[in-house]
Amino acid sequence: MSKTALVVGASGIGGSATASLLIEKGWQVYGLARRPVARDGLIPVAADLQDAQATADALKDVHPDAVFLTTWLRRDSEAENIRVNGAMVRNLLNGLAKPRRPRHVALVTGLKHYLGPFDAYAKGAMPQTPFREDQGRLDVANFYYAQEDELFAAAERDGFNWSVHRPHTVVGKAVGNAMNMSTTLAVYAILCRETGRPFTFPGSAVQWDGLTDMTDARQLAEQLIWAAETPQAANEAFNIVNGDIFRWRWMWRRIAQWFEIEPAPFDGTVRPLEQQMAGDAAIWRSIAEREGLIEADLTRLASPWHSDADLGRPIEVVTDMSKSRKLGFTGYQSTDESFFDLFQQLRDERIIP
């Protein structure tokens, strides 16, 4: 018998990749989003998780063996992030009928579990790197913790297994996503090529010289499904990154080469993308019209604020994967190839020229 999955946030970076892999593996897949995107093999479910009754109504006939929760909403303060995102997890899990058979619920959060929330990102006392799952929570309010608490409470009430997955910056395709460094860098490279501006690394010297890692959306999807199907992975939290490490001083040149431009020398000065790209909306619209691209709105492709937060961090960030490796997860992905695969996909789909 085929298994049934509910992917929440199916139009996002992680959700889209997870839905694709589930379909490939023969699952029956429901994709929940506020505005579901039509695609082969996906049964759309339209719901706003902020509305408890509407969520319950939308899910009344959905009885998944596994739920993959990959969505969140950004608000202006961490207090609002906690209120809104905690309620969304609660409304989802309350809206699902009590499991008629064993169920697994996977929640995707991220490294802000260790780095702190937007209001205090990479500030104060940080755990030592590499980040490990047993380092616990910071002594600061964080919407990731609120999401986890809702998950744990519902699991205790309804008797399902859970897993929590903590990716680093995710490389994958999604239009209109609030945190999308890879597409942001692709758009930035094209704007530099178009205008003749230098392709300048926007971040800190620590990020330029230090070690870091990232997460391919396909690697995240592999671990999500592995955890849902692996009994020893039940009720555990897992870091998830590609498995390689790199320095941006190497990766920046690799990205420049793909777009056939020269990287500017880095002098240690932070030059945020939010400032560099502030006046680029009209230029991008002109490029899109000339090249026949499907998205002319720069704000739906680029999220400079998020890229600046990651690339401007004053600390080195490396993530330990030993926990899931010991339990049998063996996925690996080269990060430069993650970028290149995505750039080619964006080009093939006429998102970038």
Side-chain angles (χ1 to χ4, degrees), residues 128-310:
Q128 290 186 343
T129 57
F131 295 139
R132 293 182 172 87
E133 295 90 344
D134 62 2
Q135 289 170 315
R137 296 179 175 183
L138 300 174
D139 187 19
V140 61
N142 189 322
F143 83 85
Y144 284 170
Y145 307 161
Q147 289 180 308
E148 286 185 344
D149 289 342
E150 294 291 349
L151 174 68
F152 301 156
E156 179 70 19
R157 179 193 69 210
D158 292 339
F160 59 76
N161 291 328
W162 55 265
S163 58
V164 175
H165 303 260
R166 299 170 185 159
H168 197 170
T169 304
V170 180
V171 179
K173 181 208 158 194
V175 175
N177 190 269
M179 298 196 302
N180 194 339
M181 179 195 286
S182 45
T183 302
T184 299
L185 294 182
V187 168
Y188 174 59
I190 291 162
L191 287 165
C192 289
R193 189 176 63 193
E194 176 80 8
T195 62
R197 296 187 335 226
F199 184 59
T200 302
F201 182 72
S204 68
V206 172
Q207 293 305 305
W208 181 255
D209 291 320
L211 293 171
T212 193
D213 48 33
M214 294 181 74
T215 306
D216 191 302
R218 298 168 297 185
Q219 174 86 332
L220 172 60
E222 291 280 4
Q223 194 195 59
L224 285 167
I225 298 171
W226 165 81
E229 296 181 326
T230 303
Q232 59 266 36
N235 304 327
E236 297 286 351
F238 298 106
N239 294 333
I240 174 62
V241 288
N242 285 340
D244 64 350
I245 54 176
F246 65 91
R247 302 181 199 274
W248 274 106
R249 66 187 185 196
W250 175 79
M251 186 68 77
W252 199 250
R253 176 167 292 278
R254 296 280 286 161
I255 292 173
Q257 288 172 342
W258 199 91
F259 287 101
E260 299 181 328
I261 56 180
E262 281 295 319
F266 179 66
D267 62 5
T269 303
V270 176
R271 295 181 173 88
L273 287 176
E274 198 160 24
Q275 296 175 14
Q276 291 194 56
M277 301 175 69
D280 286 340
I283 299 172
W284 183 260
R285 184 169 297 279
S286 175
I287 294 171
E289 291 173 356
R290 185 187 72 216
E291 302 290 341
L293 305 182
I294 66 172
E295 183 54 71
D297 184 351
L298 181 62
T299 64
R300 286 183 50 76
L301 297 178
S303 51
W305 68 272
H306 167 254
S307 300
D308 288 339
D310 274 10

Side-chain angles (χ1 to χ4, degrees), residues 306-341:
H306 167 254
S307 300
D308 288 339
D310 274 10
L311 297 177
R313 288 179 303 213
I315 61 171
E316 183 176 89
V317 176
V318 180
T319 314
D320 184 76
M321 282 275 289
S322 299
K323 184 176 181 181
S324 61
R325 298 293 192 215
K326 288 177 181 178
L327 293 177
F329 179 74
T330 59
Y332 172 85
Q333 171 66 47
S334 172
T335 302
D336 57 339
E337 293 180 1
S338 292
F339 277 117
F340 302 158
D341 289 350

